[in-house]
Amino acid sequence: MTDATTARVDAWLWAVRVYKTRSAATTACRAGHVRVNGDRAKAAQPLRPGDELRVRIQGFDQILVVKKTIAKRVGAALVAEALDDRTPPPPSRESMPFVPVRDRGAGRPTKRDRRDIEKLRGRELG
């Protein structure tokens, strides 16, 4: 556990267990899924206590505030001391729209299936 004043973005994300590997954290930074204080972050960008990170994972943003900079992987108790998770709760299942799923290998939808799908999406033609 290194208590330096700065740490690399990818190393910190790996140390606080947002990503399983440091290379996965580096790849996310390169893809633009990580923002520090509103700006796209490079993997080697230094983090300081008080910085806000927005990490996009599976289509949702996770908002983390750096309390303490660490560069090595630590236990779960120390992870809780190193970050402040300000992520809002996920939306309820009732508020999420239903997406119809066809069985794999079912082939193309028939005309009747297509009409049912359009009706579910609210794009009825007539």
Side-chain angles (χ1 to χ4, degrees):
M1 176 176 86
T2 306
D3 193 1
T5 57
T6 63
R8 289 174 54 114
V9 172
D10 60 346
W12 190 83
L13 287 171
W14 167 72
V16 297
R17 301 167 184 223
V18 174
Y19 290 101
K20 281 189 174 186
T21 63
R22 187 166 165 189
S23 63
T26 304
T27 304
C29 289
R30 285 188 186 141
H33 298 296
V34 179
R35 293 186 174 274
V36 176
N37 297 326
D39 299 324
R40 284 180 65 166
K42 291 187 176 180
Q45 180 175 339
L47 279 180
R48 291 175 185 77
D51 285 345
E52 181 186 78
L53 277 85
R54 287 184 177 265
V55 183
R56 181 162 282 277
I57 298 176
Q58 296 178 353
F60 294 101
D61 280 350
Q62 199 173 14
I63 303 168
L64 308 170
V65 176
V66 180
K67 283 187 185 174
K68 188 176 181 182
T69 56
I70 54 176
K72 298 289 182 188
R73 207 149 162 118
V74 293
L78 295 175
V79 167
E81 294 175 6
L83 67 90
D84 184 20
D85 191 358
R86 295 188 182 166
T87 307
S92 64
R93 287 188 167 249
E94 292 82 30
S95 66
M96 295 294 288
F98 174 72
V99 178
V101 179
R102 292 181 55 80
D103 294 330
R104 188 169 176 91
R108 288 181 61 176
T110 63
K111 193 170 191 177
R112 180 184 210 170
D113 292 339
R114 183 185 55 79
R115 287 181 181 152
D116 291 340
I117 291 169
E118 294 298 319
K119 193 180 293 184
L120 278 174
R121 289 184 179 166
R123 293 187 252 178
E124 256 182 286
L125 295 176

